[in-house]
Amino acid sequence: MSRLENKVAIVTGAASGMGEATAKLFAAQGAKVVAADINVAGLERVVAEVKAAGGEIVAKQVDIGNEEMIKDMIQTAVDTYGRLDILMNNAARLDFHKDVNVKDMDVFEWDETMRYNLKSVMLGTKYALPVMIENGGGSIINTASMGGQVGEMTKSAYAAAKAGVISLTRSTAVQFGKQGIRCNAIAPGMVMPKDRIDNAPEALAALIDIYKDIKLLDRIGDPMDIANLALFLASDESSFITGQVINSDGGMLVQNPTVNALKKANISW
Ligand SMILES: NC(=O)c1ccc[n+]([C@@H]2O[C@H](COP(=O)([O-])OP(=O)(O)OC[C@H]3O[C@@H](n4cnc5c(N)ncnc54)[C@H](O)[C@@H]3O)[C@@H](O)[C@H]2O)c1
């Protein structure tokens, strides 16, 4: 039996990366999927591929910075498939050039990052909850980040927004558990599709090498790593798990910060 049989799911950011991998995996596991993204051409490609594989999916263009469009996205699941069981708040934005250290922070960029990366998660959750509660429950999965749990050299707004996503995940779990709502966050480390790794420009390739070096496992993440975790959190197999932040980062955050330097210096301590 498929792991998401008879369930209806919305995945935001479904036109690429982790959202695409998750939407496809959910559909392959029997869910009826609303694939939501701002990128219509990307959505059309994903929907065509899922349908060709026999899955049930509908595309919904949404700008997650727009409250009315988020409300409409939730309504699309109800109008198309009659219910909503799973919401993955996954889409986000990051502008490396403007989202820098706190002293040099572009204040407009700060506000926009909060709007797209934190307020959007609150709004998706706010409008999904009444529909899910009416069904008897549901699973909300928020994509947070390693960056929401540590201090960063740059991208201060992104990291603060993702820390907010973690807090919101816990509040949602605390407030609505008795009504059958589970809410968990996935915190990816560095994740990239293989073709992007293979074609990475020099600066990115150097960054990938640094990440590979620090991790316990000898690779960076693939979008399927996140999709597989999202599938578990969406399915009834995780029905006793709520309010959790699960790192899928190849062991990046679990180490004593001195471990890598000790290994390099060949010191056993
Ligand atoms: N890739 C990583 O290394 C990494 C690490 C930690 C956390 N994350 C988080 O994982 C999530 C997915 O990242 P990814 O690497 O798969 O990204 P990606 O860039 O491959 O995909 C993001 C998708 O979101 C869509 N999107 C962007 N702005 C939107 C908007 N305003 N409205 C609707 N859709 C919009 C894009 O069109 C795109 O399809 C994000 O929340 C990101 O912050 C990524």
Side-chain angles (χ1 to χ4, degrees):
M1 159 130 174
S2 301
R3 291 161 73 186
L4 299 182
E5 203 70 54
N6 300 323
K7 293 194 191 286
V8 175
I10 297 174
V11 180
T12 72
S16 85
M18 305 175 201
E20 174 181 346
T22 303
K24 287 178 172 172
L25 185 60
F26 281 8
Q29 287 297 326
K32 298 179 175 87
V33 177
V34 177
D37 204 290
I38 201 165
N39 173 358
V40 175
L43 278 181
E44 281 169 0
R45 178 184 54 76
V46 170
V47 164
E49 287 174 22
V50 168
K51 285 190 171 160
E56 272 209 60
I57 189 164
V58 67
K60 181 69 187 171
Q61 187 185 20
V62 60
D63 177 355
I64 55 159
N66 181 313
E67 179 172 357
E68 283 310 310
M69 290 183 96
I70 291 179
K71 214 191 273 189
D72 191 41
M73 172 185 80
I74 303 292
Q75 194 56 41
T76 298
V78 177
D79 292 345
T80 313
Y81 298 125
R83 56 188 288 129
L84 178 63
D85 304 283
I86 300 153
L87 169 64
M88 184 167 179
N89 288 306
N90 170 73
R93 71 192 282 280
L94 170 57
D95 185 333
F96 282 105
H97 301 292
K98 294 185 185 154
D99 184 359
V100 292
N101 69 75
V102 180
K103 179 174 74 62
D104 300 324
M105 176 61 63
D106 175 322
V107 176
F108 179 73
E109 185 59 24
W110 173 274
D111 287 343
E112 288 293 272
T113 301
M114 293 302 150
R115 180 158 75 99
Y116 282 100
N117 293 5
L118 179 55
K119 186 179 178 188
S120 66
V121 176
M122 179 278 291
L123 289 172
T125 304
K126 173 181 167 65
Y127 292 116
L129 279 168
V131 180
M132 287 182 167
I133 289 169
E134 203 179 309
N135 293 343
S139 173
I140 298 172
I141 303 157
N142 297 326
T143 310
S145 175
M146 181 179 72
Q149 303 169 78
V150 296
E152 291 280 15
M153 290 290 286
T154 176
K155 51 183 169 126
S156 317
Y158 176 86
K162 292 296 189 181
V165 168
I166 289 172
S167 173
L168 192 64
T169 298
R170 293 181 177 134
S171 294
T172 304
V174 165
Q175 293 161 10
F176 298 99
K178 291 279 195 276
Q179 283 141 293
I181 303 293
R182 297 189 297 112
C183 185
N184 294 288
I186 295 174
M190 189 186 236
V191 174
M192 224 171 266
K194 188 174 178 318
D195 59 331
R196 264 195 83 197
I197 300 172
D198 292 346
N199 298 306
E202 206 176 317
L204 181 59
L207 189 64
I208 290 170
D209 283 344
I210 290 170
Y211 269 78
K212 273 169 68 176
D213 196 34
I214 293 170
K215 281 176 192 312
L216 299 185
L217 304 180
D218 193 29
R219 67 177 176 91
I220 67 163
D222 183 89
M224 275 310 292
D225 293 317
I226 306 306
N228 280 317
L229 177 53
L231 172 61
F232 172 66
L233 291 173
S235 77
D236 294 339
E237 292 157 28
S238 62
S239 64
F240 205 46
I241 298 177
T242 193
Q244 301 304 306
V245 181
I246 303 179
N247 291 311
S248 180
D249 65 353
M252 183 89 170
L253 285 189
V254 82
Q255 312 166 73
N256 181 319
T258 61
V259 165
N260 219 41
L262 290 172
K263 275 185 192 163
K264 287 217 155 83
N266 207 14
I267 299 171
S268 301
W269 189 257

PDB file of all heavy atoms in Angstrom, residues 13 15-18 37-39 62-64 90-92 116 143-145 158 162 188-191, ligand 1:
ATOM      1  N   GLY A  13       7.085  25.795  -3.360  1.00  0.00           N
ATOM      2  CA  GLY A  13       8.440  25.704  -3.928  1.00  0.00           C
ATOM      3  C   GLY A  13       8.596  24.418  -4.711  1.00  0.00           C
ATOM      4  O   GLY A  13       9.699  23.853  -4.783  1.00  0.00           O
ATOM      5  N   ALA A  15       8.521  23.778  -7.857  1.00  0.00           N
ATOM      6  CA  ALA A  15       9.049  23.812  -9.229  1.00  0.00           C
ATOM      7  C   ALA A  15      10.528  23.475  -9.315  1.00  0.00           C
ATOM      8  O   ALA A  15      11.067  23.358 -10.418  1.00  0.00           O
ATOM      9  CB  ALA A  15       8.790  25.183  -9.850  1.00  0.00           C
ATOM     10  N   SER A  16      11.192  23.351  -8.152  1.00  0.00           N
ATOM     11  CA  SER A  16      12.597  22.934  -8.228  1.00  0.00           C
ATOM     12  C   SER A  16      13.084  22.398  -6.887  1.00  0.00           C
ATOM     13  O   SER A  16      12.367  22.470  -5.881  1.00  0.00           O
ATOM     14  CB  SER A  16      13.493  24.089  -8.712  1.00  0.00           C
ATOM     15  OG  SER A  16      13.879  24.909  -7.646  1.00  0.00           O
ATOM     16  N   GLY A  17      14.284  21.859  -6.895  1.00  0.00           N
ATOM     17  CA  GLY A  17      14.969  21.447  -5.665  1.00  0.00           C
ATOM     18  C   GLY A  17      14.175  20.500  -4.785  1.00  0.00           C
ATOM     19  O   GLY A  17      13.560  19.529  -5.252  1.00  0.00           O
ATOM     20  N   MET A  18      14.201  20.786  -3.492  1.00  0.00           N
ATOM     21  CA  MET A  18      13.569  19.890  -2.503  1.00  0.00           C
ATOM     22  C   MET A  18      12.057  19.817  -2.692  1.00  0.00           C
ATOM     23  O   MET A  18      11.447  18.762  -2.490  1.00  0.00           O
ATOM     24  CB  MET A  18      13.828  20.412  -1.094  1.00  0.00           C
ATOM     25  CG  MET A  18      15.283  20.607  -0.788  1.00  0.00           C
ATOM     26  SD  MET A  18      15.468  21.359   0.839  1.00  0.00           S
ATOM     27  CE  MET A  18      17.097  22.042   0.654  1.00  0.00           C
ATOM     28  N   ASP A  37       4.022  27.211  -6.663  1.00  0.00           N
ATOM     29  CA  ASP A  37       5.295  27.908  -6.888  1.00  0.00           C
ATOM     30  C   ASP A  37       4.983  29.192  -7.653  1.00  0.00           C
ATOM     31  O   ASP A  37       3.907  29.339  -8.237  1.00  0.00           O
ATOM     32  CB  ASP A  37       6.245  27.026  -7.726  1.00  0.00           C
ATOM     33  CG  ASP A  37       7.717  27.375  -7.512  1.00  0.00           C
ATOM     34  OD1 ASP A  37       8.151  28.451  -7.956  1.00  0.00           O
ATOM     35  OD2 ASP A  37       8.429  26.558  -6.882  1.00  0.00           O
ATOM     36  N   ILE A  38       5.937  30.102  -7.648  1.00  0.00           N
ATOM     37  CA  ILE A  38       5.790  31.335  -8.429  1.00  0.00           C
ATOM     38  C   ILE A  38       6.187  31.087  -9.889  1.00  0.00           C
ATOM     39  O   ILE A  38       5.780  31.817 -10.786  1.00  0.00           O
ATOM     40  CB  ILE A  38       6.645  32.464  -7.792  1.00  0.00           C
ATOM     41  CG1 ILE A  38       6.145  33.838  -8.231  1.00  0.00           C
ATOM     42  CG2 ILE A  38       8.131  32.273  -8.074  1.00  0.00           C
ATOM     43  CD1 ILE A  38       6.687  34.980  -7.380  1.00  0.00           C
ATOM     44  N   ASN A  39       6.960  30.044 -10.113  1.00  0.00           N
ATOM     45  CA  ASN A  39       7.525  29.730 -11.435  1.00  0.00           C
ATOM     46  C   ASN A  39       6.581  28.798 -12.210  1.00  0.00           C
ATOM     47  O   ASN A  39       6.588  27.578 -12.010  1.00  0.00           O
ATOM     48  CB  ASN A  39       8.902  29.086 -11.208  1.00  0.00           C
ATOM     49  CG  ASN A  39       9.522  28.556 -12.481  1.00  0.00           C
ATOM     50  OD1 ASN A  39       8.944  28.616 -13.558  1.00  0.00           O
ATOM     51  ND2 ASN A  39      10.722  28.014 -12.344  1.00  0.00           N
ATOM     52  N   VAL A  62       1.568  30.618  -7.068  1.00  0.00           N
ATOM     53  CA  VAL A  62       1.420  31.395  -5.830  1.00  0.00           C
ATOM     54  C   VAL A  62       2.699  32.184  -5.576  1.00  0.00           C
ATOM     55  O   VAL A  62       3.797  31.694  -5.841  1.00  0.00           O
ATOM     56  CB  VAL A  62       1.078  30.467  -4.630  1.00  0.00           C
ATOM     57  CG1 VAL A  62       2.154  29.442  -4.386  1.00  0.00           C
ATOM     58  CG2 VAL A  62       0.865  31.260  -3.358  1.00  0.00           C
ATOM     59  N   ASP A  63       2.510  33.405  -5.117  1.00  0.00           N
ATOM     60  CA  ASP A  63       3.630  34.179  -4.587  1.00  0.00           C
ATOM     61  C   ASP A  63       3.469  34.129  -3.073  1.00  0.00           C
ATOM     62  O   ASP A  63       2.505  34.690  -2.535  1.00  0.00           O
ATOM     63  CB  ASP A  63       3.572  35.619  -5.104  1.00  0.00           C
ATOM     64  CG  ASP A  63       4.674  36.487  -4.511  1.00  0.00           C
ATOM     65  OD1 ASP A  63       5.423  36.011  -3.625  1.00  0.00           O
ATOM     66  OD2 ASP A  63       4.787  37.653  -4.923  1.00  0.00           O
ATOM     67  N   ILE A  64       4.374  33.472  -2.398  1.00  0.00           N
ATOM     68  CA  ILE A  64       4.205  33.283  -0.946  1.00  0.00           C
ATOM     69  C   ILE A  64       4.354  34.585  -0.152  1.00  0.00           C
ATOM     70  O   ILE A  64       4.140  34.597   1.052  1.00  0.00           O
ATOM     71  CB  ILE A  64       5.163  32.203  -0.377  1.00  0.00           C
ATOM     72  CG1 ILE A  64       6.622  32.533  -0.727  1.00  0.00           C
ATOM     73  CG2 ILE A  64       4.742  30.815  -0.816  1.00  0.00           C
ATOM     74  CD1 ILE A  64       7.624  31.854   0.174  1.00  0.00           C
ATOM     75  N   ASN A  90       7.659  25.206   2.110  1.00  0.00           N
ATOM     76  CA  ASN A  90       9.049  24.955   1.722  1.00  0.00           C
ATOM     77  C   ASN A  90       9.697  26.086   0.931  1.00  0.00           C
ATOM     78  O   ASN A  90      10.909  26.282   1.005  1.00  0.00           O
ATOM     79  CB  ASN A  90       9.067  23.650   0.888  1.00  0.00           C
ATOM     80  CG  ASN A  90      10.381  23.397   0.232  1.00  0.00           C
ATOM     81  OD1 ASN A  90      11.356  23.036   0.900  1.00  0.00           O
ATOM     82  ND2 ASN A  90      10.451  23.608  -1.072  1.00  0.00           N
ATOM     83  N   ALA A  91       8.894  26.861   0.204  1.00  0.00           N
ATOM     84  CA  ALA A  91       9.484  27.917  -0.636  1.00  0.00           C
ATOM     85  C   ALA A  91      10.127  28.990   0.234  1.00  0.00           C
ATOM     86  O   ALA A  91       9.665  29.268   1.351  1.00  0.00           O
ATOM     87  CB  ALA A  91       8.413  28.538  -1.536  1.00  0.00           C
ATOM     88  N   ALA A  92      11.183  29.581  -0.261  1.00  0.00           N
ATOM     89  CA  ALA A  92      11.870  30.661   0.462  1.00  0.00           C
ATOM     90  C   ALA A  92      12.729  31.425  -0.525  1.00  0.00           C
ATOM     91  O   ALA A  92      12.900  30.999  -1.664  1.00  0.00           O
ATOM     92  CB  ALA A  92      12.741  30.087   1.576  1.00  0.00           C
ATOM     93  N   TYR A 116       8.806  36.848   3.171  1.00  0.00           N
ATOM     94  CA  TYR A 116       8.812  35.637   2.328  1.00  0.00           C
ATOM     95  C   TYR A 116       9.169  34.373   3.109  1.00  0.00           C
ATOM     96  O   TYR A 116       8.683  33.294   2.796  1.00  0.00           O
ATOM     97  CB  TYR A 116       9.790  35.807   1.158  1.00  0.00           C
ATOM     98  CG  TYR A 116       9.221  36.662   0.054  1.00  0.00           C
ATOM     99  CD1 TYR A 116       9.562  38.000  -0.065  1.00  0.00           C
ATOM    100  CD2 TYR A 116       8.306  36.135  -0.850  1.00  0.00           C
ATOM    101  CE1 TYR A 116       9.011  38.788  -1.068  1.00  0.00           C
ATOM    102  CE2 TYR A 116       7.748  36.905  -1.847  1.00  0.00           C
ATOM    103  CZ  TYR A 116       8.108  38.234  -1.949  1.00  0.00           C
ATOM    104  OH  TYR A 116       7.556  39.013  -2.932  1.00  0.00           O
ATOM    105  N   THR A 143      10.124  23.891   6.139  1.00  0.00           N
ATOM    106  CA  THR A 143      11.546  23.774   5.828  1.00  0.00           C
ATOM    107  C   THR A 143      12.284  24.911   6.532  1.00  0.00           C
ATOM    108  O   THR A 143      12.112  26.081   6.209  1.00  0.00           O
ATOM    109  CB  THR A 143      11.809  23.830   4.313  1.00  0.00           C
ATOM    110  OG1 THR A 143      10.934  22.911   3.662  1.00  0.00           O
ATOM    111  CG2 THR A 143      13.249  23.450   4.013  1.00  0.00           C
ATOM    112  N   ALA A 144      13.049  24.549   7.535  1.00  0.00           N
ATOM    113  CA  ALA A 144      13.863  25.527   8.271  1.00  0.00           C
ATOM    114  C   ALA A 144      15.259  25.506   7.657  1.00  0.00           C
ATOM    115  O   ALA A 144      15.413  25.443   6.433  1.00  0.00           O
ATOM    116  CB  ALA A 144      13.886  25.175   9.758  1.00  0.00           C
ATOM    117  N   SER A 145      16.287  25.527   8.457  1.00  0.00           N
ATOM    118  CA  SER A 145      17.663  25.486   7.937  1.00  0.00           C
ATOM    119  C   SER A 145      18.638  25.291   9.103  1.00  0.00           C
ATOM    120  O   SER A 145      18.348  25.681  10.238  1.00  0.00           O
ATOM    121  CB  SER A 145      17.999  26.797   7.233  1.00  0.00           C
ATOM    122  OG  SER A 145      19.350  26.802   6.834  1.00  0.00           O
ATOM    123  N   TYR A 158      18.033  35.908   6.705  1.00  0.00           N
ATOM    124  CA  TYR A 158      17.620  34.537   6.375  1.00  0.00           C
ATOM    125  C   TYR A 158      17.716  33.649   7.615  1.00  0.00           C
ATOM    126  O   TYR A 158      16.791  32.903   7.940  1.00  0.00           O
ATOM    127  CB  TYR A 158      18.513  34.014   5.251  1.00  0.00           C
ATOM    128  CG  TYR A 158      18.264  32.576   4.857  1.00  0.00           C
ATOM    129  CD1 TYR A 158      17.286  32.252   3.926  1.00  0.00           C
ATOM    130  CD2 TYR A 158      19.030  31.539   5.402  1.00  0.00           C
ATOM    131  CE1 TYR A 158      17.074  30.932   3.545  1.00  0.00           C
ATOM    132  CE2 TYR A 158      18.825  30.224   5.025  1.00  0.00           C
ATOM    133  CZ  TYR A 158      17.842  29.922   4.100  1.00  0.00           C
ATOM    134  OH  TYR A 158      17.633  28.612   3.739  1.00  0.00           O
ATOM    135  N   LYS A 162      14.653  31.815   9.605  1.00  0.00           N
ATOM    136  CA  LYS A 162      14.586  30.356   9.775  1.00  0.00           C
ATOM    137  C   LYS A 162      14.528  29.977  11.266  1.00  0.00           C
ATOM    138  O   LYS A 162      13.883  28.996  11.635  1.00  0.00           O
ATOM    139  CB  LYS A 162      15.782  29.688   9.085  1.00  0.00           C
ATOM    140  CG  LYS A 162      15.746  29.784   7.564  1.00  0.00           C
ATOM    141  CD  LYS A 162      14.569  29.047   6.956  1.00  0.00           C
ATOM    142  CE  LYS A 162      14.661  28.957   5.442  1.00  0.00           C
ATOM    143  NZ  LYS A 162      13.504  28.264   4.835  1.00  0.00           N
ATOM    144  N   PRO A 188      17.601  21.428   6.646  1.00  0.00           N
ATOM    145  CA  PRO A 188      18.640  20.883   5.758  1.00  0.00           C
ATOM    146  C   PRO A 188      19.983  21.558   6.005  1.00  0.00           C
ATOM    147  O   PRO A 188      20.048  22.723   6.392  1.00  0.00           O
ATOM    148  CB  PRO A 188      18.137  21.244   4.350  1.00  0.00           C
ATOM    149  CG  PRO A 188      16.739  21.747   4.507  1.00  0.00           C
ATOM    150  CD  PRO A 188      16.634  22.265   5.914  1.00  0.00           C
ATOM    151  N   GLY A 189      21.038  20.811   5.766  1.00  0.00           N
ATOM    152  CA  GLY A 189      22.368  21.407   5.621  1.00  0.00           C
ATOM    153  C   GLY A 189      22.495  21.812   4.173  1.00  0.00           C
ATOM    154  O   GLY A 189      21.503  22.179   3.538  1.00  0.00           O
ATOM    155  N   MET A 190      23.685  21.741   3.596  1.00  0.00           N
ATOM    156  CA  MET A 190      23.809  22.115   2.182  1.00  0.00           C
ATOM    157  C   MET A 190      23.265  20.993   1.295  1.00  0.00           C
ATOM    158  O   MET A 190      23.703  19.853   1.403  1.00  0.00           O
ATOM    159  CB  MET A 190      25.267  22.393   1.814  1.00  0.00           C
ATOM    160  CG  MET A 190      25.373  23.000   0.421  1.00  0.00           C
ATOM    161  SD  MET A 190      27.062  23.169  -0.095  1.00  0.00           S
ATOM    162  CE  MET A 190      27.133  24.894  -0.454  1.00  0.00           C
ATOM    163  N   VAL A 191      22.275  21.358   0.462  1.00  0.00           N
ATOM    164  CA  VAL A 191      21.587  20.376  -0.391  1.00  0.00           C
ATOM    165  C   VAL A 191      21.574  20.919  -1.811  1.00  0.00           C
ATOM    166  O   VAL A 191      21.226  22.082  -2.021  1.00  0.00           O
ATOM    167  CB  VAL A 191      20.139  20.167   0.107  1.00  0.00           C
ATOM    168  CG1 VAL A 191      19.360  19.276  -0.856  1.00  0.00           C
ATOM    169  CG2 VAL A 191      20.128  19.584   1.519  1.00  0.00           C
TER     170      VAL A 191
HETATM  171  N1  LIG B   1      19.584  24.153  -0.665  1.00  0.00           N
HETATM  172  C1  LIG B   1      20.097  24.265   0.551  1.00  0.00           C
HETATM  173  O1  LIG B   1      21.289  24.009   0.754  1.00  0.00           O
HETATM  174  C2  LIG B   1      19.231  24.669   1.706  1.00  0.00           C
HETATM  175  C3  LIG B   1      19.756  24.605   2.996  1.00  0.00           C
HETATM  176  C4  LIG B   1      18.950  24.921   4.078  1.00  0.00           C
HETATM  177  C5  LIG B   1      17.631  25.280   3.874  1.00  0.00           C
HETATM  178  N2  LIG B   1      17.127  25.341   2.607  1.00  0.00           N
HETATM  179  C6  LIG B   1      15.719  25.681   2.455  1.00  0.00           C
HETATM  180  O2  LIG B   1      15.093  24.642   1.723  1.00  0.00           O
HETATM  181  C7  LIG B   1      13.993  25.157   0.990  1.00  0.00           C
HETATM  182  C8  LIG B   1      14.072  24.739  -0.453  1.00  0.00           C
HETATM  183  O3  LIG B   1      15.325  25.119  -0.963  1.00  0.00           O
HETATM  184  P1  LIG B   1      15.863  24.584  -2.385  1.00  0.00           P
HETATM  185  O4  LIG B   1      17.333  24.535  -2.286  1.00  0.00           O
HETATM  186  O5  LIG B   1      15.115  23.372  -2.816  1.00  0.00           O
HETATM  187  O6  LIG B   1      15.492  25.854  -3.286  1.00  0.00           O
HETATM  188  P2  LIG B   1      15.256  26.031  -4.834  1.00  0.00           P
HETATM  189  O7  LIG B   1      15.760  27.381  -5.181  1.00  0.00           O
HETATM  190  O8  LIG B   1      15.731  24.863  -5.634  1.00  0.00           O
HETATM  191  O9  LIG B   1      13.659  26.040  -4.907  1.00  0.00           O
HETATM  192  C9  LIG B   1      12.903  27.051  -4.307  1.00  0.00           C
HETATM  193  C10 LIG B   1      11.583  27.168  -5.051  1.00  0.00           C
HETATM  194  O10 LIG B   1      10.824  28.200  -4.408  1.00  0.00           O
HETATM  195  C11 LIG B   1      10.208  28.979  -5.412  1.00  0.00           C
HETATM  196  N3  LIG B   1       9.939  30.322  -4.930  1.00  0.00           N
HETATM  197  C12 LIG B   1      10.826  31.325  -4.699  1.00  0.00           C
HETATM  198  N4  LIG B   1      10.189  32.447  -4.318  1.00  0.00           N
HETATM  199  C13 LIG B   1       8.866  32.135  -4.290  1.00  0.00           C
HETATM  200  C14 LIG B   1       7.702  32.880  -3.987  1.00  0.00           C
HETATM  201  N5  LIG B   1       7.765  34.181  -3.653  1.00  0.00           N
HETATM  202  N6  LIG B   1       6.504  32.261  -4.046  1.00  0.00           N
HETATM  203  C15 LIG B   1       6.433  30.966  -4.420  1.00  0.00           C
HETATM  204  N7  LIG B   1       7.493  30.212  -4.740  1.00  0.00           N
HETATM  205  C16 LIG B   1       8.701  30.801  -4.681  1.00  0.00           C
HETATM  206  C17 LIG B   1      11.219  28.993  -6.564  1.00  0.00           C
HETATM  207  O11 LIG B   1      10.585  29.311  -7.796  1.00  0.00           O
HETATM  208  C18 LIG B   1      11.758  27.578  -6.524  1.00  0.00           C
HETATM  209  O12 LIG B   1      11.022  26.706  -7.357  1.00  0.00           O
HETATM  210  C19 LIG B   1      14.001  26.657   1.249  1.00  0.00           C
HETATM  211  O13 LIG B   1      13.130  26.947   2.321  1.00  0.00           O
HETATM  212  C20 LIG B   1      15.427  26.926   1.657  1.00  0.00           C
HETATM  213  O14 LIG B   1      15.545  28.093   2.459  1.00  0.00           O
HETATM  214  C21 LIG B   1      17.904  25.067   1.524  1.00  0.00           C
END
